[in-house]
Amino acid sequence: MIVDKIENLEKYYSLNPLFREVAEFLRANDMNALSTGIHHIKGDDVFVNIQEAKGKTQQEAVVEYHHKMIDIQIPFNGPETYGYIPTDDLPEAEFNEAKDVALLPGVESLCYVTCQPGMFVMFFPQDGHAPFITDVPLLRKAIFKIKA
């Protein structure tokens, strides 16, 4: 897991060359003007899902993880807290290969980190994460999906 300011995203290009596609998309687009839903950037290798969802408490948030994709999540209209737990510490769960996700409701995160607008959090396949923890009634955010 990495947490940083959006302006520093280029410092992470060496971790995955597709991160450059995300940074270029952020520079070229007004993220607040994008419609909700999926916007393809580079086929299925890089895309963004603009979501709006009701904020959750730590107890309501569902831990998830992915095998094939890295998440870069960016809140737009308020702070968002994310639960974190290494996937090695998670119990067995049914994995949906088609959606590249396992959901683990009722699993408690090990720790929490909060991002403000203008920041991002990056989750790798080894990072279990519980998103949408916020007091914002309807959180608007971007979830960039990058092939790991």
Side-chain angles (χ1 to χ4, degrees):
M1 176 179 66
I2 295 171
V3 179
D4 205 340
K5 293 182 178 181
I6 293 171
E7 63 209 42
N8 294 326
L9 185 56
E10 67 185 38
K11 295 179 180 186
Y12 302 97
Y13 290 174
S14 63
L15 297 177
N16 187 315
L18 294 172
F19 292 167
R20 182 181 305 276
E21 302 287 337
V22 173
E24 289 173 2
F25 187 86
L26 285 167
R27 280 192 292 274
N29 292 277
D30 177 357
M31 298 303 291
N32 290 310
L34 287 177
S35 61
T36 57
I38 294 176
H39 303 267
H40 289 274
I41 299 168
K42 189 172 184 175
D44 290 333
D45 289 350
V46 183
F47 60 92
V48 62
N49 188 358
I50 304 297
Q51 292 188 346
E52 292 179 350
K54 179 181 173 245
K56 299 177 181 179
T57 64
Q58 289 181 359
Q59 294 73 31
E60 294 170 327
V62 175
V63 171
E64 62 184 63
Y65 65 89
H66 316 286
H67 286 158
K68 300 175 190 167
M69 303 300 275
I70 298 166
D71 281 6
I72 296 178
Q73 300 196 23
I74 303 171
F76 295 141
N77 64 326
E80 180 179 14
T81 298
Y82 306 87
Y84 168 79
I85 184 169
T87 56
D88 288 348
D89 294 348
L90 292 171
E92 289 291 320
E94 183 178 330
F95 193 85
N96 184 327
E97 291 291 338
K99 294 184 178 183
D100 187 42
V101 69
L103 300 174
L104 295 99
V107 172
E108 188 176 334
S109 295
L110 180 66
C111 60
Y112 297 88
V113 63
T114 300
C115 286
Q116 300 293 331
M119 297 175 70
F120 70 86
V121 62
M122 195 179 294
F123 295 111
F124 294 85
Q126 69 269 18
D127 300 326
H129 53 284
F132 281 109
I133 301 169
T134 185
D135 290 336
V136 176
L138 189 66
L139 183 70
R140 181 173 168 84
K141 67 186 278 185
I143 303 171
F144 287 90
K145 305 293 274 186
I146 302 98
K147 186 175 180 179

